[in-house]
Amino acid sequence: MLYNAYEMQRSLLASASALANVGAEFLHNPANPLAYFGGGPIIASALDVFAHAAAPRGKPAFGLHSTIIDGKTVPVHEEIVVQKPFGQLKHFVREGVEGGPRLLIVAPMSGHFATLLRGTVERMLPGHDVYITDWRDAKLVPVEDGSFDLDDYIDYLIAFLEHIGPGAHVLAVCQPSVPCYAAAALMSANKHPARPKTLTMMGGPVDTREAPTAVNTLATQRPHSWFRQNVITTVPFMYPGAGRAVYPGFLQLAGFMTMNLGNHMTSHWEMFKHLVVGDGDSADATKDFYDEYRSVCDMTAEFYLQTIDVVFQNHALPRGEMTHRGVRVDPGAITDIGILAIEGERDDISGLGQTKAALTLAKNLPARHKRYHMAPKVGHYGIFNGSRWREKIAPVVEQWIAAHD
């Protein structure tokens, strides 16, 4: 019922958005006298903000068609090199460019599409041969394709690394830090030839007992059964995944928006003011951010519930109790993978110390293969996007990769 009610509301808002957009364009039309005086500009700006906020959104495109290498523009195109029911491995091919460290960027499966890391990919493209995990929206995966949980996630990562081949590097952003760390430990224990040379984890919940945030509190203050009963719903009939139990993306987005509601309201107020005075560039920057931020996808119920249980409630990895298909995940097995832990000073999703814990858990890894970087004045999204990522954090990642390549 919850999902059906949401779809009905989404349809109504889509119609209202279209009407508001028509009204805004009418009032902005240079041939319309109301565009120049009276309340016309204010009403048009208000309609524009509403139309953007209420518009339906699908999966965004990366839109990375070129990069700059040694001062020259190099065309870039995307190739899907491995395709599985719940995700694919995407390769950004720099045309005419050979070599460079192979880098697997692991996008979070947390309600947003992999395109949330567009800025991460763009910054690493000039010097690296970049791949990314492109997870599928669970509501589009037919029930007959089976289930997908945390164990499957780890299996996918190992399969992707096997395809890329020995000597690759991994960059995990937020949520995938735990499965990436687990995959590295399992591959190390088996002396797998495709285990990565380095693993960089950025703002990841490796040990959420360290500096708990509002996200951690939400996950621990209620019993596991509460999540199953209150946030899991069934995909409606109009989607290919009809009947699949999921944690819907719209609930995930609602949670994130509520956490920083004041900031989001301020952003939209500023966008309104920019539109009123005709500052379209500033308004478009805000629109671009929210186009990506509001584009959400569903997670399978089994993956979400297992993550709540293993990562947030039982802290299985730092307590040495995490298993993968019956085999214990032992961070002590990691002996030759360079681990870089990056945290943001103002991260309100993964608190300080949660990612750094990975360095302590890898007790048999020599000190020269460990590094910690705390980015001052940086929040969660600033770790992997924006000017501080491009100018301060990415160089640290590049140096770490180069030192171990």
Side-chain angles (χ1 to χ4, degrees):
M1 288 298 294
L2 176 64
Y3 214 134
N4 287 309
Y6 165 75
E7 286 296 328
M8 183 178 296
Q9 180 197 50
R10 189 172 72 91
S11 298
L12 292 172
L13 285 175
S15 299
S17 173
L19 289 173
N21 193 52
V22 170
E25 290 183 358
F26 173 74
L27 291 172
H28 276 309
N29 193 316
N32 186 351
L34 293 176
Y36 301 98
F37 62 88
I42 293 176
I43 296 173
S45 299
L47 288 172
D48 197 346
V49 171
F50 174 80
H52 181 265
R57 290 171 173 82
K59 181 180 179 180
F62 276 98
L64 299 174
H65 304 299
S66 65
T67 188
I68 305 296
I69 301 178
D70 296 329
K72 298 180 180 179
T73 300
V74 176
V76 173
H77 70 270
E78 301 173 15
E79 287 185 358
I80 297 172
V81 293
V82 178
Q83 194 160 25
K84 291 175 172 289
F86 290 90
Q88 57 195 16
L89 179 63
K90 184 167 287 189
H91 184 204
F92 294 89
V93 180
R94 301 169 298 171
E95 298 178 12
V97 178
E98 299 290 339
R102 286 163 295 147
L103 175 63
L104 171 60
I105 298 177
V106 183
M109 183 181 280
S110 57
H112 285 102
F113 293 97
T115 49
L116 188 69
L117 305 188
R118 182 185 294 103
T120 316
V121 174
E122 185 177 28
R123 176 60 180 80
M124 301 305 290
L125 262 178
H128 303 81
D129 187 13
V130 178
Y131 297 77
I132 194 168
T133 58
D134 190 16
W135 304 113
R136 254 187 115 185
D137 190 336
K139 69 173 173 283
L140 302 180
V141 184
V143 173
E144 53 265 31
D145 282 337
S147 61
F148 183 88
D149 61 12
L150 192 55
D151 288 341
D152 294 306
Y153 193 120
I154 294 171
D155 290 338
Y156 273 44
L157 293 177
I158 295 174
F160 291 159
L161 283 169
E162 288 173 342
H163 177 86
I164 297 172
H169 303 264
V170 175
L171 172 60
V173 179
C174 188
Q175 170 268 324
S177 292
V178 170
C180 284
Y181 195 55
L186 292 164
M187 296 176 82
S188 293
N190 296 328
K191 301 300 179 185
H192 197 300
R195 66 186 182 276
K197 284 187 175 180
T198 68
L199 170 58
T200 298
M201 292 173 284
M202 305 171 67
V206 176
D207 188 349
T208 58
R209 296 172 298 182
E210 300 288 337
T213 64
V215 173
N216 309 142
T217 301
L218 175 64
T220 57
Q221 67 183 3
R222 294 179 173 89
H224 190 262
S225 58
W226 183 92
F227 293 93
R228 182 180 297 277
Q229 295 167 5
N230 290 276
V231 303
I232 301 302
T233 187
T234 303
V235 177
F237 71 91
M238 71 277 292
Y239 293 107
R244 179 179 296 282
V246 296
Y247 175 38
F250 64 83
L251 281 183
Q252 179 90 343
L253 178 62
F256 280 135
M257 294 288 283
T258 303
M259 281 178 56
N260 294 289
L261 185 59
N263 291 337
H264 293 301
M265 293 179 67
T266 299
S267 294
H268 283 79
W269 172 244
E270 292 297 323
M271 180 169 68
F272 168 72
K273 291 194 293 183
H274 289 316
L275 289 168
V276 170
V277 299
D279 184 2
D281 290 343
S282 296
D284 286 344
T286 304
K287 286 182 179 181
D288 289 344
F289 171 78
Y290 280 103
D291 279 341
E292 189 70 57
Y293 192 75
R294 292 200 190 101
S295 298
V296 292
C297 55
D298 298 351
M299 289 181 274
T300 63
E302 57 271 18
F303 171 78
Y304 173 72
L305 293 172
Q306 190 179 5
T307 299
I308 290 290
D309 176 42
V310 171
V311 178
F312 293 99
Q313 293 193 340
N314 289 317
H315 316 289
L317 179 61
R319 292 171 61 184
E321 299 174 358
M322 183 176 180
T323 61
H324 171 260
R325 306 208 181 279
V327 177
R328 189 174 75 88
V329 175
D330 179 18
I334 302 175
T335 58
D336 58 0
I337 298 174
I339 296 180
L340 169 61
I342 297 177
E343 297 180 328
E345 182 182 20
R346 298 176 178 173
D347 193 334
D348 58 354
I349 304 293
S350 296
L352 286 175
Q354 292 187 13
T355 313
K356 187 179 181 180
L359 301 176
T360 303
L361 292 173
K363 58 185 180 181
N364 295 321
L365 185 65
R368 68 180 181 276
H369 290 315
K370 299 179 182 180
R371 183 174 177 184
Y372 174 68
H373 178 75
M374 192 275 287
K377 302 179 181 179
V378 173
H380 188 73
Y381 292 96
I383 298 175
F384 58 87
N385 218 337
S387 60
R388 287 193 175 92
W389 150 249
R390 293 190 299 269
E391 299 165 9
K392 302 293 184 180
I393 300 172
V396 175
V397 178
E398 291 175 321
Q399 292 166 10
W400 188 248
I401 290 174
H404 292 80
D405 196 50

